[in-house]
């Protein structure tokens, strides 16, 4: 059995592409069901990573039906409310980086899998070598065995310690998030201000962002450097020089702001080859969240599935094909993401980002 820990975009994409090749797998997911919790903000899937993986999964048509080309719109301002850049996506524009709700993407992937592929309510705790594979332990006391264990379980992966002692470290940046529901009805002026896609406002010491989701929700966030246990008010109480429209946007949020400290793995992290276990996505290469996380996870999944399909009787050979290529590719992407993160911070962030887009 191939055991996949984690039912996010990477884990489900791996299970789907394996299924396309006639290879069975089981996804162990801690959530109780597919709709047990909110899936968060939108994802912009790129043609050479997330979209390519969905093509390999045979799900391109379903994706394009659910994706929002208008989600590629961008409005960028400075903290005084001056519009620095506005990009509106034409109706016939190519779907280079369309947005899709995480919940919609998950539904597409789940619907494409045979029943019982995902075992809900399975919180993985640890594993140990066992008869040419691994014995898996879960929080409810149950166990399972597998020939190949794939950690697709994110930043706080419990599979990663089987391969390396390296753990994520705090980046120094905190993102606080909330949302406005049914925004077109409840806050029409703010909905019009934000537009159809992404809305960024850069100030001397923080960035405010808003993003239109496909379900009528506007996700609102503030990124700021500070302690990982930052009081959300330290981020959302804007300095007086910020324009009133931004305070209105924050005041309209209907839920308490959630603090999300940003953690990172070292760029270029590798590990010695170990039989029967590997990682993909954030579990392997946690990097700044600037549109690459899910995309790289899904490309990892596609490349790993294709390697397994090429070596169905020699899983170690599949890992030997997958891991070195993944290490090299994601190290380059992590370096680029770090540069973007640097560009989008500091008192001159607005000027740097504007120069980048120009």
């Amino acid at each position: 059995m191939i055991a996949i820990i984690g039912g996010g975009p990477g884990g489900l994409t791996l299970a789907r592409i394996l299924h396309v090749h006639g290879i069975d797998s089981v996804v162990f997911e801690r959530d109780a069901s597919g709709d047990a919790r909110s899936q968060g903000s939108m994802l912009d899937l790129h043609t050479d990573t997330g979209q390519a993986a969905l093509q390999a999964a045979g799900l391109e048509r379903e994706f394009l039906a659910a994706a929002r080309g208008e989600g590629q719109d961008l409005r960028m301002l400075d903290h005084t409310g001056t519009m620095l850049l506005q990009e509106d996506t034409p109706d016939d524009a190519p779907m280079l980086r369309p947005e899709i709700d995480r919940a919609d993407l998950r539904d597409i992937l789940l619907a494409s899998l045979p029943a019982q592929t995902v075992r809900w309510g399975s919180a993985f705790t640890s594993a140990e070598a066992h008869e040419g594979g691994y014995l898996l332990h879960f929080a409810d006391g149950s166990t399972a065995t597998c020939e190949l264990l794939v950690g697709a379980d994110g930043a706080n992966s419990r599979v990663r310690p089987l391969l390396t002692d390296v753990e994520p470290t705090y980046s120094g940046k905190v993102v606080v998030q909330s949302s406005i529901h049914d925004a077109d009805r409840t806050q029409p002026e703010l909905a019009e201000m934000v537009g159809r896609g992404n809305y960024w406002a850069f100030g001397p010491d923080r960035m405010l962002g808003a993003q239109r989701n496909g379900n009528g929700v506007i996700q609102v966030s503030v990124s700021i450097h500070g302690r990982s246990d930052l009081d959300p008010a330290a981020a959302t109480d804007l300095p007086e020089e910020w324009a009133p429209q931004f305070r209105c946007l924050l005041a309209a949020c209907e839920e308490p702001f959630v603090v999300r400290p940003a953690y990172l793995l070292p760029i270029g992290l590798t590990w010695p080859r170990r039989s029967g276990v590997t990682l993909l996505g954030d579990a392997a290469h946690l990097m700044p969240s600037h549109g690459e996380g899910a995309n790289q996870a899904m490309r990892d999944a596609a490349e790993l599935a294709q390697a397994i399909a090429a070596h169905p009787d020699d899983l170690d050979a599949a890992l030997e094909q997958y891991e070195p290529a993944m290490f090299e590719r994601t190290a380059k992407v992590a370096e680029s993401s770090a540069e973007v993160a640097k560009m989008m911070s500091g008192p001159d962030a607005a000027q740097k980002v504007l120069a980048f887009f120009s």
Side-chain angles (χ1 to χ4, degrees):
M1 180 184 74
I2 296 174
I4 302 166
I5 307 300
L12 293 177
T13 299
L14 175 59
R16 167 60 186 179
I17 301 177
L18 288 174
H19 174 64
V20 167
H21 288 282
I23 300 170
D24 293 332
S25 65
V26 176
V27 178
F28 294 95
E29 167 55 47
R30 65 182 179 180
D31 285 353
S33 66
D35 56 1
R37 60 184 175 88
S38 170
Q39 294 302 300
S41 59
M42 305 284 285
L43 294 171
D44 61 319
L45 296 190
H46 309 167
T47 54
D48 60 340
T49 49
Q51 290 190 54
L54 289 172
Q55 290 171 1
L59 297 173
E60 182 180 22
R61 178 177 57 82
E62 291 84 349
F63 165 72
L64 292 175
R68 299 175 58 248
E70 67 273 19
Q72 300 172 101
D73 286 7
L74 173 63
R75 296 179 181 181
M76 192 176 86
L77 306 89
D78 68 16
H79 65 288
T80 70
T82 300
M83 183 72 71
L84 302 176
L85 177 69
Q86 181 169 343
E87 294 184 342
D88 297 322
T89 308
D91 291 341
D92 60 351
M95 300 282 268
L96 299 178
R97 293 189 172 196
E99 301 275 358
I100 186 170
D101 282 22
R102 287 176 182 265
D104 289 344
L105 177 61
R106 193 183 212 189
D107 288 346
I108 289 170
L109 289 165
L110 287 173
S112 73
L113 294 171
Q116 308 307 315
T117 298
V118 180
R119 297 189 186 176
W120 301 103
S122 298
F124 173 78
T125 57
S126 63
E128 59 202 50
H130 177 76
E131 296 181 358
Y134 283 88
L135 175 64
L136 314 181
H137 297 272
F138 299 91
D140 62 1
S142 64
T143 61
T145 58
C146 66
E147 297 174 84
L148 175 62
L149 171 60
V150 181
D153 49 343
N156 299 313
S157 173
R158 292 177 180 261
V159 179
R160 189 192 302 118
L162 294 171
L163 294 167
T164 175
D165 294 332
V166 176
E167 297 181 353
T169 57
Y170 178 50
S171 68
K173 187 181 84 169
V174 172
V175 180
V176 300
Q177 296 178 316
S178 185
S179 56
I180 303 170
H181 295 271
D182 197 9
D184 287 313
R185 184 182 64 82
T186 62
Q187 299 289 341
E189 292 184 2
L190 292 177
E192 177 64 25
M193 180 184 79
V194 169
R196 306 183 302 173
N198 285 286
Y199 181 88
W200 300 343
F202 292 93
D205 68 339
R206 71 197 73 194
M207 173 187 169
L208 182 149
Q211 184 185 55
R212 176 72 69 122
N213 288 17
N215 57 1
V217 171
I218 292 177
Q219 296 280 346
V220 180
S221 65
V222 179
S223 303
I224 190 170
H225 286 269
R227 292 165 51 102
S228 61
D229 59 352
L230 181 82
D231 183 338
T236 58
D237 290 345
L238 300 177
E240 62 181 25
E241 62 265 26
W242 280 70
Q245 68 203 58
F246 303 123
R247 290 189 182 80
C248 292
L249 185 63
L250 294 171
C253 292
E254 301 161 344
E255 302 168 357
F257 278 84
V258 176
V259 177
R260 302 190 187 283
Y263 286 81
L264 304 172
L265 284 168
I267 294 174
L269 174 66
T270 64
W271 51 81
R273 165 96 304 284
R274 182 167 183 180
S275 178
V277 59
T278 193
L279 305 172
L280 63 78
D282 285 350
H285 42 73
L286 182 63
M287 61 186 74
S289 56
H290 295 296
E292 290 291 352
N295 279 287
Q296 294 302 318
M298 293 172 73
R299 180 164 175 178
D300 291 349
E303 293 184 357
L304 177 55
Q306 289 158 358
I308 293 170
H311 305 279
D313 299 320
D314 189 347
L315 294 175
D316 284 343
L319 298 189
E320 186 60 37
Q321 175 181 323
Y322 161 71
E323 287 186 341
M326 181 269 288
F327 292 150
E328 181 178 4
R329 167 175 49 83
T330 58
K332 293 176 181 177
V333 175
E335 287 175 358
S336 297
S337 293
E339 288 298 316
V340 171
K342 183 178 179 180
M343 176 181 68
M344 297 183 73
S345 63
D348 58 346
Q351 291 72 32
K352 291 186 293 186
V353 175
L354 183 60
F356 175 82
F357 279 97
S358 300

